[in-house]
Amino acid sequence: MIGMILRNVRKIRGLTQRNVGNELKLADNTISNYEIEYSNPTFDTVYKFMDICNFDIQFIDRGTNKIYMVEELSKEMDF
C-alpha cells in the first residue's frame, strides 16, 4: 500500500521517479522498486519523500481525534 501512496503523491506533484531519486540521492530504479512494492523504504525515506512532494504525514489519535505531526511525536513527550 505504501508504494501506491508514494506513486500517487509523486504524480500529483508532476515529479518523475528520477526527480525524487535525485533529491533523495537514490537511483530512480530504487524509487520504482518502492512504488511497485518490490522493496520497502524506511520511515525516514518515506518522510523525506513526502517532504519533497510537499505533503505532511499526520497521526490521528482515534480516541481524542487529536492530530499529531511527525515532529511532535518525534520529541520526547512528558505526559
Side-chain angles (χ1 to χ4, degrees), residues 4 13 17 21 23 25 27 33-34 44 46 57 62:
M4 178 181 61
R13 293 297 181 233
Q17 291 175 342
E23 289 289 325
K25 296 180 178 51
N33 287 340
Y34 292 158
D44 187 54
V46 171
I57 298 173
R62 291 184 196 167

Side-chain angles (χ1 to χ4, degrees), residues 1 8 12 27 29 32 45 48 61 68 72-73 75 79:
M1 176 179 276
N8 290 338
I12 286 169
N29 67 331
S32 175
T45 300
K48 290 175 183 175
D61 181 328
Y68 294 92
E72 289 178 275
L73 294 176
K75 297 176 189 171
F79 293 99

Side-chain angles (χ1 to χ4, degrees), residues 4-5 18 20 25 37 39 41 45-46 48 50 54 64 68 76:
M4 178 181 61
I5 292 168
R18 180 164 288 158
V20 174
K25 296 180 178 51
E37 299 185 11
S39 61
T45 300
V46 171
K48 290 175 183 175
M50 295 302 222
N54 203 28
T64 64
Y68 294 92
E76 187 172 325

Side-chain angles (χ1 to χ4, degrees), residues 2-77:
I2 191 65
M4 178 181 61
I5 292 168
L6 295 176
R7 182 181 63 241
N8 290 338
V9 164
R10 175 181 60 75
K11 286 185 172 189
I12 286 169
R13 293 297 181 233
L15 298 171
T16 65
Q17 291 175 342
R18 180 164 288 158
N19 297 142
V20 174
N22 287 342
E23 289 289 325
L24 291 174
K25 296 180 178 51
L26 296 171
D28 49 319
N29 67 331
T30 300
I31 303 303
S32 175
N33 287 340
Y34 292 158
E35 291 183 3
I36 63 172
E37 299 185 11
Y38 180 77
S39 61
N40 294 310
T42 63
F43 183 79
D44 187 54
T45 300
V46 171
Y47 181 77
K48 290 175 183 175
F49 190 112
M50 295 302 222
D51 188 53
I52 289 164
C53 295
N54 203 28
F55 274 76
D56 285 325
I57 298 173
Q58 299 177 340
F59 295 89
I60 302 171
D61 181 328
R62 291 184 196 167
T64 64
N65 286 326
K66 180 170 174 38
I67 298 172
Y68 294 92
M69 301 301 292
V70 172
E71 295 81 10
E72 289 178 275
L73 294 176
S74 297
K75 297 176 189 171
E76 187 172 325
M77 298 176 79

